[in-house]
Amino acid sequence: MGTTFFLVRHGIKEKAIGDVPITPQGIIQAQSTAAHVSRIPIHAIISSPLRRAIETAECIAAKTNVEIIVDDRLRERANWGDLPEQTFEEFIQMWDKCTREPDYIPPIGDSVKSACKRMSSLLTSLVEEYPSGSNIIIVTHGGLITDYIVNTFSEDVLYHFHPQFIAEQSSLVSECSITTLTFDGQNYTIDRFASIEHLMNEMNEPEESTS
């Protein structure tokens, strides 16, 4: 049967420095994501410690009645505000340098390869903890999802999902998109990458009549 992981990026966050919350639109995204994943049994919800991820996870937990487990290994590669007095422009320059040079260790946060190792470590521990057939929600960040995907799978696999995957990796994982991985006991497979179909479907479904 294998283990299925649903890698969910947090909802749209406020455009401000620090550990910011998600916006009202982000809450709607998170609620739509929760409605979608609640259609199957969910055995665990693991969240990044950052507020935007926890708030997204809370929407999913409320719908699935599954307790949230916070794990530091799911924190973003770097967060604007962690380095005192760093401007947003300086943060973006640092971020882009890390993306171009996966071994580069920034003044704050992790290198791309270190971030990938964190994610890999978490997945390995979850596979060992939960039985085959489990469905596990992981609420984290676009950067970490991309860091893991780019440094785990071959370019042939990546280009199957997007013809310019490496060049455009920083813009491919939308808020509340779901990347689905399966582990068959030996290997990981990407079943779906950064899908937002559930957001469109949930928002377009007619409301039930109250009359």
Side-chain angles (χ1 to χ4, degrees), residues 96-171:
D96 289 344
K97 181 177 177 63
C98 286
T99 301
R100 293 191 306 269
E101 303 173 27
D103 289 309
Y104 171 69
I105 301 175
I108 193 74
D110 292 330
S111 69
V112 165
K113 288 190 175 179
S114 293
C116 174
K117 288 180 180 178
R118 282 197 275 112
M119 174 70 94
S120 297
S121 169
L122 174 65
L123 295 181
T124 298
S125 64
L126 293 173
V127 165
E128 293 172 350
E129 181 178 356
Y130 292 88
S132 178
S134 296
N135 297 311
I136 299 175
I137 303 289
I138 292 179
V139 185
T140 184
H141 307 271
L144 184 61
I145 293 172
T146 306
D147 291 344
Y148 172 77
I149 295 292
V150 169
N151 288 277
T152 301
F153 297 92
S154 69
E155 289 189 2
D156 287 343
V157 172
L158 301 181
Y159 293 148
H160 170 74
F161 291 101
H162 193 283
Q164 300 294 327
F165 199 109
I166 301 298
E168 299 185 22
Q169 59 181 286
S170 295
S171 62

Side-chain angles (χ1 to χ4, degrees), residues 5-192:
F5 295 99
F6 300 92
L7 310 185
V8 179
R9 185 186 176 186
H10 59 79
I12 294 173
K13 66 177 181 177
E14 289 187 0
K15 294 181 179 180
I17 192 170
D19 190 9
V20 297
I22 57 178
T23 65
Q25 185 179 357
I27 293 172
I28 293 172
Q29 289 180 322
Q31 290 171 339
S32 294
T33 303
H36 175 71
V37 299
S38 68
R39 296 169 180 169
I40 62 172
I42 299 300
H43 301 93
I45 300 172
I46 321 296
S47 176
S48 158
L50 293 179
R51 183 176 176 184
R52 55 191 182 270
I54 290 178
E55 290 183 350
T56 303
E58 286 173 344
C59 291
I60 299 173
K63 190 71 174 179
T64 59
N65 294 315
V66 176
E67 183 178 353
I68 299 169
I69 300 171
V70 176
D71 196 300
D72 285 344
R73 286 173 289 185
L74 290 177
R75 69 186 186 278
E76 183 60 290
R77 182 205 306 169
N79 192 59
W80 182 38
D82 289 346
L83 189 62
E85 299 183 2
Q86 184 183 48
T87 67
F88 184 68
E89 290 73 21
E90 290 169 339
F91 174 78
I92 293 300
Q93 290 175 0
M94 181 189 78
W95 182 274
D96 289 344
K97 181 177 177 63
C98 286
T99 301
R100 293 191 306 269
E101 303 173 27
D103 289 309
Y104 171 69
I105 301 175
I108 193 74
D110 292 330
S111 69
V112 165
K113 288 190 175 179
S114 293
C116 174
K117 288 180 180 178
R118 282 197 275 112
M119 174 70 94
S120 297
S121 169
L122 174 65
L123 295 181
T124 298
S125 64
L126 293 173
V127 165
E128 293 172 350
E129 181 178 356
Y130 292 88
S132 178
S134 296
N135 297 311
I136 299 175
I137 303 289
I138 292 179
V139 185
T140 184
H141 307 271
L144 184 61
I145 293 172
T146 306
D147 291 344
Y148 172 77
I149 295 292
V150 169
N151 288 277
T152 301
F153 297 92
S154 69
E155 289 189 2
D156 287 343
V157 172
L158 301 181
Y159 293 148
H160 170 74
F161 291 101
H162 193 283
Q164 300 294 327
F165 199 109
I166 301 298
E168 299 185 22
Q169 59 181 286
S170 295
S171 62
L172 297 181
V173 181
S174 301
E175 287 89 350
C176 271
S177 63
I178 301 176
T179 296
T180 308
L181 303 178
T182 54
F183 181 71
D184 63 6
Q186 293 186 322
N187 300 300
Y188 288 92
T189 302
I190 306 175
D191 295 326
R192 304 187 77 179

Side-chain angles (χ1 to χ4, degrees), residues 63 205-211:
K63 190 71 174 179
E205 285 184 357
E207 295 182 2
E208 294 183 2
S209 173
T210 57
S211 58

